[in-house]
Amino acid sequence: MATEENTEGFIPIHGGYRNLITFQKAEIIYDGTVYFCRRYFKKYDRTIDQMVQAARSGKQNIAEASMASATSKETEIKLTNVARASLEELLIDYEDYLRTNNLKKWERTDRLSLRFNELNRTPGANYITFKKAIEHENREISANIMCCLINVTSYLLGRQLVALEKAFLNEGGLRERMTRARINKRNKQ
């Protein structure tokens, strides 16, 4: 997560969340969850709202964290972790679905889990990349592929948090950048 330096002032270049793999994967998870809930739950089941909102929170908090990074590394870190926590909540919902419907939860060594790993290596992967599995007529496959997507995204968000921590330690926060910018400006005069 290299950031460009803003040499004109103290507010760093920010945003760009659409380029983050975590955002791209979270968008697939959101779209897949909407599909899954519409297909496998009764229309007024409260679980639909819970799952869709958890998926939405995962995606939206990544975007909000990226935009907030301009003025608050603390907010960026917190919102990135909120995204990860929301996806964990969603993962539990999918695991509950599998368990309560007597469906098998894939192990990492299962044939279809290994197939997911192959698909996941596709550069620029999007919903279409996983569509056949997400929209599979077998709900066990559909739920498990969503679990796989969530696990990968949660792992990547964990790595993103580590990178954010390192960036903060190396670059500091807004007040430190403001002070440096003011001192540099004063020294140039």
Side-chain angles (χ1 to χ4, degrees), residues 67-152:
M67 295 307 293
S69 71
T71 57
S72 177
K73 290 295 174 191
E74 179 183 357
T75 300
E76 181 182 21
I77 290 167
K78 284 181 179 179
L79 289 173
T80 300
N81 197 54
V82 169
R84 189 170 157 204
S86 293
L87 292 178
E88 183 67 22
E89 175 187 344
L90 182 61
L91 177 64
I92 292 168
D93 283 331
Y94 279 109
E95 290 172 344
D96 288 348
Y97 182 86
L98 288 166
R99 188 184 66 259
T100 60
N101 286 281
N102 275 341
L103 301 171
K104 179 183 174 195
K105 183 178 183 298
W106 296 344
E107 298 295 326
R108 289 185 53 84
T109 55
D110 284 339
R111 179 182 59 84
L112 293 173
S113 184
L114 296 174
R115 175 65 181 133
F116 166 80
N117 292 341
E118 291 172 21
L119 285 175
N120 193 49
R121 287 197 267 301
T122 304
N126 57 25
Y127 187 85
I128 301 301
T129 308
F130 301 98
K131 182 177 180 177
K132 187 176 177 183
I134 292 170
E135 297 184 9
H136 201 279
E137 68 270 359
N138 182 336
R139 61 191 176 151
E140 182 178 293
I141 291 173
S142 186
N144 272 291
I145 209 72
M146 294 305 298
C147 289
C148 290
L149 282 163
I150 294 166
N151 282 326
V152 164

Side-chain angles (χ1 to χ4, degrees), residues 29-53:
I29 291 166
Y30 174 78
D31 293 348
T33 298
V34 168
Y35 176 85
F36 186 90
C37 289
R38 284 182 182 156
R39 181 161 184 187
Y40 295 113
F41 289 102
K42 293 182 178 137
K43 189 174 183 178
Y44 296 106
D45 189 325
R46 286 187 51 198
T47 307
I48 294 170
D49 288 339
Q50 296 292 328
M51 290 179 71
V52 169
Q53 287 308 310

